[in-house]
Amino acid sequence: MHIDFLEAVKVIPRCLGATIFLFFITKIMGRKQVSEFSLFDYVIGISIGNFTAEMTLNTDVQYINGMVAVATFGLFSISLTKLINKNIRLRRFVVGTPTVLIDNGKIIQSGLKRVNIGVNDLLEEARMSGYFDISEIDYAIMEGSGTISFLPKREFKNVTVNDLNIKTDKSYLSANIIINGEYMEEAIKKSNITKEELIKRLKKMNLDNPDSILLCTITNNKLNFYFKDQDPINDLLLE
């Protein structure tokens, strides 16, 4: 079999060029692309990887064609991400919504079915998070990214109250009642505050509507507000 070394050598600069180009595209798209993937991020990542490999190895295809394809996917991802951040309904469709798997210490079978995992998968995730006894867990929630967040029962929190021999209040699941300036109607109905009471609280803060609120949570009876366009104080400490 004849090996064309000259043709093989041509792949080297194409590979280096594709790597550098892909690095800048990924940097523009943000850290989210290289963290936990949502379904949409996964599809975009696979597509970009395929086109990058094609533009690197297939010398019969114009190099610029692959660059245009990768750039198109990158710009599409950026545009859709901006729309997702502004539209909660679109975010629910594309990214998904959190699913409760354990509620007040009880395993929710319908939640497991919804995300298509079994009890063994849940137990494995719990062990990976440091919980070898599932009875120690009060709440478990699968996030849109596919990771599972665990909230332990109060006596198993670090440092545990059993070790300190003190009494604490019951753990409460925080409800997100305002996101990106929109009332979360279902969350409000299931929380310890009515929409009318929430509106009155906003008026006391001289707010006629929730447009300026990035996030409002309620834990038991405590409201926490996080406003839009807040400048970080210690951002220069982080590199």
Side-chain angles (χ1 to χ4, degrees):
M1 183 179 66
H2 175 69
I3 300 177
D4 190 340
F5 287 100
L6 183 61
E7 186 69 24
V9 169
K10 289 181 181 179
V11 172
I12 296 176
R14 293 171 70 94
C15 184
L16 295 175
T19 301
I20 294 171
F21 181 67
L22 183 58
F23 171 79
F24 282 108
I25 289 294
T26 306
K27 192 173 182 65
I28 292 172
M29 291 169 67
R31 296 181 185 178
K32 185 170 179 284
Q33 191 64 27
V34 294
S35 62
E36 294 290 343
F37 282 177
S38 67
L39 180 61
F40 171 73
D41 294 322
Y42 177 79
V43 170
I44 290 293
I46 290 295
S47 301
I48 287 178
N50 287 338
F51 277 105
T52 302
E54 182 72 12
M55 64 189 274
T56 301
L57 299 175
N58 191 348
T59 55
D60 294 331
V61 177
Q62 289 189 101
Y63 197 69
I64 189 66
N65 291 1
M67 296 180 70
V68 170
V70 172
T72 300
F73 274 103
L75 290 173
F76 176 67
S77 176
I78 293 170
S79 301
L80 187 57
T81 298
K82 289 183 180 296
L83 288 174
I84 287 173
N85 290 336
K86 293 181 179 179
N87 190 313
I88 189 69
R89 293 175 182 82
L90 182 61
R91 177 178 177 79
R92 287 171 179 164
F93 177 76
V94 176
V95 179
T97 56
T99 301
V100 176
L101 306 180
I102 298 178
D103 189 345
N104 199 23
K106 299 178 180 178
I107 297 177
I108 309 301
Q109 188 176 16
S110 59
L112 296 179
K113 290 181 179 179
R114 178 183 172 189
V115 296
N116 197 29
I117 68 170
V119 173
N120 288 336
D121 298 317
L122 179 62
L123 293 173
E124 180 181 351
E125 291 289 339
R127 289 193 297 270
M128 291 174 65
S129 296
Y131 301 103
F132 284 77
D133 184 353
I134 202 166
S135 67
E136 297 178 1
I137 299 170
D138 229 356
Y139 295 94
I141 298 174
M142 177 172 278
E143 310 293 351
S145 63
T147 59
I148 300 179
S149 304
F150 295 96
L151 177 65
K153 294 179 179 177
R154 66 181 188 274
E155 61 266 32
F156 296 107
K157 291 182 178 180
N158 292 327
V159 173
T160 68
V161 297
N162 282 344
D163 293 335
L164 299 176
N165 195 26
I166 59 175
K167 294 182 179 180
T168 62
D169 294 331
K170 176 184 176 182
S171 296
Y172 291 94
L173 191 63
S174 180
N176 304 318
I177 55 179
I178 297 177
I179 299 178
N180 276 333
E182 289 189 34
Y183 292 112
M184 299 293 101
E185 303 288 351
E186 292 301 318
I188 293 173
K189 289 178 183 178
K190 296 179 180 180
S191 68
N192 292 340
I193 190 172
T194 65
K195 187 174 180 180
E196 290 70 24
E197 291 172 335
L198 182 56
I199 292 173
K200 288 180 180 179
R201 180 64 180 270
L202 294 183
K203 289 188 178 298
K204 288 182 178 180
M205 301 166 63
N206 296 319
L207 297 175
D208 295 325
N209 55 63
D211 290 347
S212 61
I213 299 174
L214 179 65
L215 174 67
C216 175
T217 66
I218 182 169
T219 306
N220 195 12
N221 293 313
K222 182 181 179 182
L223 284 170
N224 298 293
F225 292 92
Y226 304 88
F227 292 90
K228 296 179 180 179
D229 304 320
Q230 297 293 301
D231 294 324
I233 297 175
N234 298 312
D235 58 324
L236 296 179
L237 299 178
L238 306 175
E239 294 291 343

